[in-house]
Amino acid sequence: MLYLDNSATTKVDPEVYDAMLPYLLEEFGNPSSKYYPQAVNSKNAVAEARKNVADLLGVSSKEIIFTSGSTEGNNMIIKGAADYYADKGNHIITTSTEHPSVLETCRYLETKGFEVTYLPVDQFGRVSLDDFKRSFKDSTILATVIWGNNELGSLNNIKELSDYCLEQDIFFHTDATQVIGKVDINLEDFPGISFLSCSAHKFHGPKGVGCVYIKKDQYDMLTPLTPLYHGGGQENNFRSGTLAVPGIIGIGKAAELARERMTDNIKRLEENEDYLTKILKEKFSDVIAFNNDVSNKIPGILNVQFKGINNELLLKQLAPVIAASTGSACSSSKPSHVLQAIGLSLEQIRSTIRFSLSFQIYREELDVFKEL
Ligand code: PMP
């Protein structure tokens, strides 16, 4: 079966799996304990994992806080910043094509007295710098904009948006879940990004682990936030709770591999995408329309309409040979808010399928589409 739902989740890399196993069995100690080998070894391994994640992002280890994934990360940053900076203002800027973990967090904050601007997007799901600038108010405390969209793959111009926030002295958060390992990013080039969230399972790590980047200031202090979890003070007091060591080792290894193989992986993803696009255009020329832009996007994500064909029925028919989805796995029961935001009709949305590729796929495997 050809798995083309890699934006929903990816298969754990065998090297990640091998790296994790000892931390379930022999090295099971709590990294906050002291002196005996299991504790010390797991503490050292967590430090190495943190370094690998930090190196992938181009930041320092101190700036990485482990979480259970991007849902937690997005909640942690947006609620944490809203609460901590509430005396400075109550306005948050975001976009209409964010993941539900951002949108629902913002909606929750609206019920607590915050004001949220949900910016419109262009036909490919990108926010414009002009709209972004115009939405700032005296009461703005945070802007949160997705780096790469999970349904369309479109990349927002995070550089210009975050630079503007730096100029305005406003915190900027980005949900980078879909870009890690597929877009070569170095946060040294993005001084305006104050916070970033990601999940390991989107780049061949395990599920249930992720991290947030919290920027240090010139005094080497991490930007303060109100934590979601209060307790033993782990993770610099930002995220209490015993560290999920095997998962953390997994994200560390996945980050190390992503960094080492970035160039090759991106090339492979682009080649696979080009090949699949060509087959789809030839094979389904009379019914097909692409919703995504061809450039300036995450490689490997294709968002395609099969005109006049119901997407759920098509997916069911494809399921024995090809695994794909209608869009986001997190809100698959509702018509996509992302496709609505780019102006598609319900009919167009109901005929749309997302294929999300992996660098692990061999080109020849995609020939299965020729036989449909
Ligand atoms: N943001 C984006 C853009 C995502 O694609 C996802 C996962 N679908 C999330 C956040 C949430 O990640 P997780 O389910 O791992 O918490």
Side-chain angles (χ1 to χ4, degrees):
M1 208 253 304
L2 181 60
Y3 181 76
L4 297 184
D5 204 12
N6 288 280
S7 291
T9 197
T10 60
K11 184 172 163 182
V12 167
D13 189 289
E15 286 192 47
V16 170
Y17 173 81
D18 287 343
M20 289 172 69
L21 278 187
Y23 295 89
L24 289 161
L25 299 169
E26 304 94 44
E27 307 294 0
F28 60 87
N30 187 326
S32 302
S33 300
K34 286 181 180 158
Y35 311 122
Y36 55 86
Q38 287 95 337
V40 174
N41 293 344
S42 79
K43 183 179 173 184
N44 291 341
V46 165
E48 194 188 326
R50 201 185 299 278
K51 172 91 175 64
N52 278 325
V53 174
D55 286 350
L56 176 67
L57 297 175
V59 302
S60 85
S61 286
K62 191 180 172 187
E63 294 170 304
I64 298 297
I65 302 297
F66 290 117
T67 64
S68 63
S70 294
T71 299
E72 181 187 332
N74 291 339
N75 271 266
M76 178 199 252
I77 301 299
I78 301 168
K79 286 181 191 157
D83 185 76
Y84 197 89
Y85 301 102
D87 56 344
K88 287 197 173 162
N90 72 339
H91 180 233
I92 296 170
I93 301 166
T94 190
T95 80
S96 49
T97 47
E98 299 294 312
H99 185 266
S101 54
V102 169
L103 289 177
E104 293 306 318
T105 300
C106 287
R107 285 189 192 118
Y108 165 79
L109 288 173
E110 284 180 293
T111 69
K112 300 286 166 197
F114 287 87
E115 187 197 349
V116 182
T117 300
Y118 300 90
L119 291 171
V121 291
D122 68 13
Q123 59 162 324
F124 295 122
R126 294 188 193 106
V127 72
S128 88
L129 181 61
D130 284 345
D131 286 348
F132 187 69
K133 285 183 176 174
R134 268 196 297 271
S135 66
F136 278 69
K137 301 180 179 200
D138 289 344
S139 55
T140 305
I141 46 173
L142 174 77
T144 171
V145 177
I146 193 165
W147 199 317
N149 188 271
N150 46 314
E151 296 190 39
L152 296 162
S154 335
L155 295 168
N156 272 308
N157 193 334
I158 294 300
K159 177 70 184 150
E160 60 181 26
L161 301 175
S162 60
D163 277 355
Y164 183 69
C165 282
L166 189 64
E167 247 174 75
Q168 301 297 311
D169 208 13
I170 296 295
F171 293 115
F172 183 83
H173 166 248
T174 182
D175 175 353
T177 311
Q178 293 287 342
V179 297
I180 304 295
K182 294 182 219 145
V183 177
D184 200 356
I185 55 179
N186 182 345
L187 293 189
E188 267 184 24
D189 303 331
F190 295 84
I193 298 182
S194 336
F195 311 108
L196 171 151
S197 344
C198 68
S199 266
H201 70 105
K202 306 287 186 182
F203 58 103
H204 302 277
K207 295 171 186 53
V209 60
C211 73
V212 290
Y213 156 74
I214 301 182
K215 194 183 168 161
K216 274 189 317 200
D217 65 14
Q218 66 270 42
Y219 309 105
D220 211 33
M221 300 286 286
L222 292 179
T223 305
L225 289 170
T226 305
L228 275 187
Y229 298 171
H230 297 89
Q234 288 91 340
E235 297 296 270
N236 255 320
N237 273 317
F238 282 102
R239 208 272 189 176
S240 286
T242 301
L243 273 70
V245 179
I248 289 171
I249 304 309
I251 191 174
K253 191 69 193 176
E256 184 191 335
L257 296 177
R259 184 159 164 256
E260 276 169 21
R261 302 174 183 166
M262 181 82 68
T263 313
D264 289 347
N265 289 352
I266 292 176
K267 188 165 168 269
R268 188 83 170 268
L269 272 171
E270 285 170 349
E271 284 168 2
N272 282 341
E273 176 180 326
D274 290 348
Y275 192 60
L276 180 57
T277 305
K278 191 166 159 273
I279 299 178
L280 290 173
K281 280 186 177 161
E282 279 168 17
K283 175 93 190 175
F284 304 100
S285 56
D286 41 346
V287 288
I288 205 157
F290 287 80
N291 298 327
N292 55 272
D293 199 355
V294 284
S295 61
N296 199 10
K297 64 182 267 297
I298 302 171
I301 298 185
L302 288 177
N303 195 291
V304 185
Q305 280 177 54
F306 291 90
K307 290 180 203 156
I309 300 173
N310 179 280
N311 55 6
E312 297 284 348
L313 290 179
L314 183 57
L315 284 175
K316 270 188 208 155
Q317 276 178 1
L318 290 177
V321 270
I322 297 166
S325 65
T326 55
S328 168
C330 303
S331 43
S332 56
S333 53
K334 292 178 263 165
S336 154
H337 68 282
V338 173
L339 299 184
Q340 288 183 52
I342 63 167
L344 295 196
S345 67
L346 279 181
E347 196 189 332
Q348 289 171 315
I349 296 172
R350 289 201 187 103
S351 68
T352 289
I353 289 189
R354 176 189 66 185
F355 298 111
S356 45
L357 308 180
S358 156
F359 55 83
Q360 291 170 331
I361 297 168
Y362 292 102
R363 195 182 134 121
E364 300 69 48
E365 291 180 79
L366 295 165
D367 286 338
V368 66
F369 277 91
K370 295 183 183 165
E371 268 97 66
L372 292 177

